[in-house]
Amino acid sequence: MADRSRSGTETKEDNCLSILENINDGYFEADLSGRFTLVNDSLCAIIGYSRDELIGMENRLYTDAENSRKAFTAFNDIYKTGKPGSIFDYEIITKHGSKKQIEISASLIKDASVKPVGFCGILRDITDRKKLEETLSQSEQRYRTIIEQMADGYFETDLNGKFTFVNDAECRNTGYSRDELIGNDVRFFGDEDTFKRLYRLFVEVYNTNKPVTAYDVELTRKDGARVIHEISTSLIKNNSGETVGFRGISRNITERRQSEEALRQSEEKYRTIIESINDAYYETDLTGRITFINDMLCKHLGYSRKELTGSNSRFFQDDHNYKKTVQFYAEVYKTGNPGLLEMECIRKDGTKGNYGLSLSVIRDKNDKKTGFRGISRDITDRKQMEKQLRQSEERYRTILDEMNDGYFEVDLAGNYTFNNEPNARLLKYSPGELIGKNSFNYMVKEDAPIVYNAFNNIYKTGKPERNIVYRAVHKDGNIGIAVLAGFPLKNEKGEIVGFRGIARDITERRHLEEQLRQSEEKYRTIIEQMEDGYFETDLKGNFTFVNEAECRNLGYTHDELIGMTRHQYTDEKNAQILFDLLLNIYNTGNPVKLHEVEIITKDGTTSYNEISVALIRDDKGDPVGFRGIARDVTERKKQDEKIQYMATHDGLT
């Protein structure tokens, strides 16, 4: 981790810590005396102490004196040089007394004046890896011991496969004397099938002029015991270059076969790594100059074997990465323990790639360090994916933090494992106050079964449930109304391990809906109880709604009037009058008041209605129909006509 300056007013620390809380490696910050000032949950899990116990703790409290000195030396070197450092094979003692091997990458923390004020770093638990390396080291040691101590038989045959020479070890391996073997072929102590297999082997060597190694055959010793020999054979040529026979090494591997199966697998694994893996393998001398490489390293870097052999990392690294690599080699040499490094290399075509290097020391038979061997894996795509994943997680976190709806995750028991700010705000709590608490404690008791049954159905079917409405209990005791959608939360195996949900506070909406319902009820009551008729029509003038008074005016039932056109309750003349009236209202947008129209009721009688009509508009302001009030003025009309008649006749008299 590069050096960085900090200030007391730094506002990004919480965001960084939030990210670090989601990594598997432990993150820490410490003062110059080595006492922790900040740790993440992963570090607590590795060491076994709680955050409160670790804050202020120095390393002597969780490691022995030797490792404490090792840590002091490493951190003191970082302090003096100002360069990041790594500590490998560092042993700690957990709170429960168990020992763990950890790997630390650390760097300085500097204040605004670039003065060192502490350290920060990443702590990784490599206990399992160290155990595996130790097991592998022991297995390889056993392999070398067996190779050095085994007794191999040597033999020569003519072109017909008859022995012409054997050594004492071959006699011991077969149980026969030299005189008994010379002049005989393998059928002397093997069956016909074994003879045919060896015959084919010798023919192959003869035809290809290439030796064959490690060919297993089963033979019968003189004492009747069945033994397994591993045979390597090649051609014997005379001074003229003519093939005159075969020579070979016969190794009795009977006793070794069962007990050394693990070694065989280790050897096979080694050969596979070198010959066919996608990872690059190389060896260097103690100065770091390459002495051996496989084809994959050439493929990774784009250079030929000739170009790379004899060069060092400076050939394909910039100054910064080369210095980091040199420091890493020095640390592996110093400790003698394998190490891991992520480094950046420059390919021959100028592009940059990221590689994960596993490095170990090469030792000779006297256990003297003679060089290094390494396995390099191209992690360029992985690093890019990690970058994309970080960006994706950041977008995900930003969406959760900025969305208005509450988002939460709970385990199968309903205990909160994650809350975003809106979800906590919905209940009048902070996100931290809800973690670990049971979600059913924050809803009205009578509504809990509704939510429980919904989430139980999610668990059984694996399908989401939506529109789950319940009453939420706020921190201040008030009751709110929430609606949520629940979804299954699955692990990498596809098993449901909890639930996630999106919750929305609909308290205000429900109150508004209730007010609207009451308002509509009041409106409907007024409409239904008024003495005048009330009606609504579409743009063609067909009734879409009428009240009881309008039904009485026209003499029809409610169901009969809905959809009825003007031609059905008036004559052609008045139908045209109504059409012109509605058309004028539509064109001008102005309502018409107290317009008299002649109506024919259901029983055929003529009556007169005084109507007031206006446009109905939708949310966009577009006309969608007409509404109006109709008053039956038939009696008033008759009275006016009577008065007019009397006035006219009085004038005549």
Side-chain angles (χ1 to χ4, degrees):
M1 185 177 289
D3 291 342
R4 56 193 178 94
S5 297
R6 297 168 59 92
S7 69
T9 58
E10 183 177 359
T11 60
K12 297 182 179 179
E13 184 174 341
D14 289 341
N15 287 336
C16 293
L17 182 57
S18 177
I19 295 172
L20 291 170
E21 286 295 356
N22 289 311
I23 64 176
N24 291 327
D25 292 340
Y27 175 78
F28 68 89
E29 294 183 6
D31 59 25
L32 292 176
S33 69
R35 297 178 184 275
F36 287 123
T37 58
L38 177 69
V39 296
N40 69 350
D41 288 341
S42 293
L43 189 139
C44 296
I46 292 171
I47 302 182
Y49 290 91
S50 67
R51 193 186 305 272
D52 291 339
E53 289 173 321
L54 285 175
I55 298 301
M57 183 183 290
E58 60 180 3
N59 64 356
R60 282 192 293 267
L61 297 179
Y62 57 87
T63 189
D64 58 25
E66 180 184 352
N67 283 279
S68 179
R69 286 193 296 271
K70 184 186 294 186
F72 173 82
T73 301
F75 279 92
N76 189 48
D77 185 60
I78 294 172
Y79 178 83
K80 289 180 178 180
T81 64
K83 298 178 180 179
S86 297
I87 305 172
F88 298 94
D89 195 21
Y90 179 55
E91 188 175 79
I92 64 169
I93 303 172
T94 68
K95 183 177 180 179
H96 303 295
S98 61
K99 294 182 179 181
K100 290 185 177 181
Q101 295 288 332
I102 62 170
E103 174 186 281
I104 298 178
S105 298
S107 59
L108 278 174
I109 298 175
K110 297 180 180 180
D111 61 16
S113 61
V114 200
K115 177 182 177 182
V117 295
F119 303 92
C120 65
I122 297 295
L123 181 149
R124 178 173 296 166
D125 185 352
I126 60 170
T127 306
D128 292 339
R129 192 190 77 191
K130 297 298 290 184
K131 290 180 179 178
L132 181 61
E133 291 169 353
E134 179 63 21
T135 301
L136 180 60
S137 176
Q138 293 173 356
S139 176
E140 290 175 345
Q141 182 62 35
R142 288 196 303 270
Y143 172 81
R144 288 195 295 271
T145 301
I146 292 171
I147 294 298
E148 292 166 0
Q149 294 179 353
M150 68 168 38
D152 295 337
Y154 176 80
F155 65 88
E156 294 180 2
T157 75
D158 60 19
L159 289 177
N160 294 318
K162 296 184 181 297
F163 290 110
T164 58
F165 174 82
V166 294
N167 67 353
D168 289 339
E170 183 69 2
C171 294
R172 290 194 301 270
N173 287 345
T174 62
Y176 291 94
S177 68
R178 182 177 279 104
D179 291 339
E180 289 175 310
L181 290 175
I182 298 300
N184 287 307
D185 57 32
V186 74
R187 282 178 290 197
F188 187 63
F189 49 85
D191 56 26
E192 190 66 24
D193 181 65
T194 300
F195 173 77
K196 290 180 179 179
R197 290 179 60 209
L198 286 175
Y199 177 80
R200 287 194 294 268
L201 174 67
F202 281 27
V203 170
E204 178 184 347
V205 173
Y206 183 86
N207 290 334
T208 63
N209 199 27
K210 294 180 180 180
V212 171
T213 61
Y215 189 85
D216 291 354
V217 294
E218 188 173 353
L219 304 173
T220 304
R221 284 174 48 88
K222 186 176 182 179
D223 60 10
R226 299 290 289 178
V227 293
I228 300 174
H229 281 207
E230 182 182 83
I231 296 176
S232 300
T233 186
S234 59
L235 293 174
I236 299 176
K237 297 190 177 184
N238 61 19
N239 294 334
S240 302
E242 298 172 333
T243 301
V244 295
F246 303 91
R247 61 164 54 92
I249 298 293
S250 175
R251 182 174 301 160
N252 188 341
I253 61 171
T254 307
E255 296 179 1
R256 193 186 74 189
R257 178 57 62 85
Q258 294 298 325
S259 61
E260 296 303 323
E261 179 62 19
L263 178 62
R264 187 198 65 79
Q265 293 175 354
S266 176
E267 183 181 356
E268 181 64 26
K269 181 178 180 181
Y270 173 77
R271 287 197 298 270
T272 302
I273 290 174
I274 298 301
E275 297 170 2
S276 62
I277 62 172
N278 290 325
D279 295 336
Y281 175 83
Y282 68 94
E283 296 178 1
T284 74
D285 59 23
L286 289 176
T287 68
R289 294 190 179 277
I290 297 173
T291 58
F292 173 81
I293 58 175
N294 68 352
D295 290 338
M296 191 54 65
L297 184 63
C298 300
K299 183 177 180 181
H300 281 181
L301 298 177
Y303 291 97
S304 67
R305 189 183 302 270
K306 183 178 180 180
E307 289 173 310
L308 289 173
T309 301
S311 68
N312 60 21
S313 298
R314 188 66 187 87
F315 185 63
F316 45 80
Q317 285 188 314
D318 58 24
D319 289 340
H320 172 72
N321 282 279
Y322 176 66
K323 290 177 181 178
K324 185 168 67 171
T325 302
V326 169
Q327 184 178 5
F328 174 61
Y329 271 67
E331 186 68 25
V332 172
Y333 180 86
K334 178 181 178 182
T335 64
N337 297 314
L340 298 173
L341 176 71
E342 289 188 0
M343 60 183 183
E344 184 180 78
C345 297
I346 303 172
R347 305 183 185 99
K348 187 174 182 178
D349 61 7
T351 60
K352 294 182 178 180
N354 297 103
Y355 300 90
L357 171 63
S358 174
L359 187 72
S360 59
V361 174
I362 298 176
R363 300 176 186 269
D364 62 16
K365 63 181 180 179
N366 298 318
D367 205 35
K368 180 181 177 181
K369 300 173 183 176
T370 60
F372 301 93
R373 61 166 53 94
I375 295 177
S376 173
R377 175 169 295 177
D378 190 339
I379 59 172
T380 307
D381 292 340
R382 192 195 81 189
K383 297 293 286 186
Q384 183 63 29
M385 289 177 62
E386 289 174 352
K387 180 180 178 181
Q388 294 173 351
L389 180 60
R390 287 195 301 271
Q391 294 173 344
S392 176
E393 289 177 344
E394 183 61 29
R395 287 195 299 270
Y396 166 75
R397 186 170 296 280
T398 300
I399 290 171
L400 290 184
D401 289 340
E402 294 181 355
M403 64 190 292
N404 291 324
D405 292 339
Y407 176 84
F408 65 88
E409 294 177 4
V410 297
D411 59 23
L412 291 176
N415 300 313
Y416 284 114
T417 57
F418 177 80
N419 274 279
N420 70 348
E421 185 68 32
N423 191 68
R425 191 168 58 245
L426 186 149
L427 297 172
K428 314 303 182 187
Y429 288 88
S430 67
E433 289 179 295
L434 293 175
I435 298 301
K437 304 295 192 306
N438 194 280
S439 57
F440 291 104
N441 294 334
Y442 304 97
M443 59 185 69
V444 173
K445 184 177 180 180
E446 291 78 9
D447 290 354
I450 298 174
V451 180
Y452 176 84
N453 291 334
F455 277 78
N456 189 46
N457 194 46
I458 295 172
Y459 182 81
K460 290 180 178 179
T461 65
K463 296 180 180 179
E465 288 279 333
R466 294 179 173 83
N467 297 319
I468 308 169
V469 180
Y470 68 98
R471 288 170 292 172
V473 180
H474 298 168
K475 185 176 183 180
D476 57 13
N478 290 328
I479 303 298
I481 303 174
V483 60
L484 68 85
F487 308 87
L489 181 62
K490 300 180 179 180
N491 61 16
E492 63 276 4
K493 298 179 181 179
E495 301 166 335
I496 298 177
V497 295
F499 307 95
R500 56 164 57 99
I502 297 176
R504 176 175 296 174
D505 188 340
I506 61 170
T507 307
E508 184 176 349
R509 190 186 82 187
R510 280 300 178 92
H511 288 164
L512 290 174
E513 289 174 351
E514 180 59 23
Q515 292 174 1
L516 179 62
R517 188 194 65 77
Q518 293 176 357
S519 175
E520 290 178 344
E521 183 65 27
K522 180 178 179 181
Y523 163 77
R524 184 173 298 277
T525 300
I526 293 172
I527 293 296
E528 291 299 336
Q529 294 181 355
M530 64 190 299
E531 292 297 324
D532 293 335
Y534 175 82
F535 63 88
E536 293 180 3
T537 73
D538 58 21
L539 289 176
K540 294 180 180 180
N542 301 320
F543 286 121
T544 57
F545 175 81
V546 293
N547 68 351
E548 290 300 323
E550 184 66 4
C551 292
R552 291 193 300 272
N553 283 348
L554 298 177
Y556 291 92
T557 66
H558 179 275
D559 292 340
E560 289 174 326
L561 284 176
I562 297 303
M564 184 179 288
T565 179
R566 58 187 175 276
H567 296 286
Q568 294 174 268
Y569 58 84
T570 188
D571 58 20
E572 194 62 33
K573 175 183 176 183
N574 281 277
Q576 186 62 42
I577 292 173
L578 283 173
F579 174 79
D580 294 339
L581 175 71
L582 297 180
L583 181 61
N584 181 62
I585 295 171
Y586 180 85
N587 289 332
T588 64
N590 298 323
V592 171
K593 298 181 180 180
L594 305 180
H595 185 87
E596 190 176 289
V597 62
E598 185 177 310
I599 301 299
I600 302 173
T601 64
K602 183 178 181 179
D603 61 8
T605 59
T606 299
S607 64
Y608 297 91
N609 277 190
E610 189 177 75
I611 61 173
S612 297
V613 184
L615 276 174
I616 299 175
R617 298 180 184 272
D618 60 15
D619 294 338
K620 298 178 182 179
D622 297 327
V624 294
F626 303 92
R627 63 164 54 95
I629 295 175
R631 176 173 294 175
D632 188 343
V633 294
T634 304
E635 292 300 324
R636 190 186 72 186
K637 179 79 172 174
K638 291 180 180 180
Q639 188 66 29
D640 289 344
E641 290 177 352
K642 182 178 180 180
I643 293 173
Q644 185 177 2
Y645 175 81
M646 291 178 62
T648 302
H649 282 72
D650 286 345
L652 292 175
T653 58

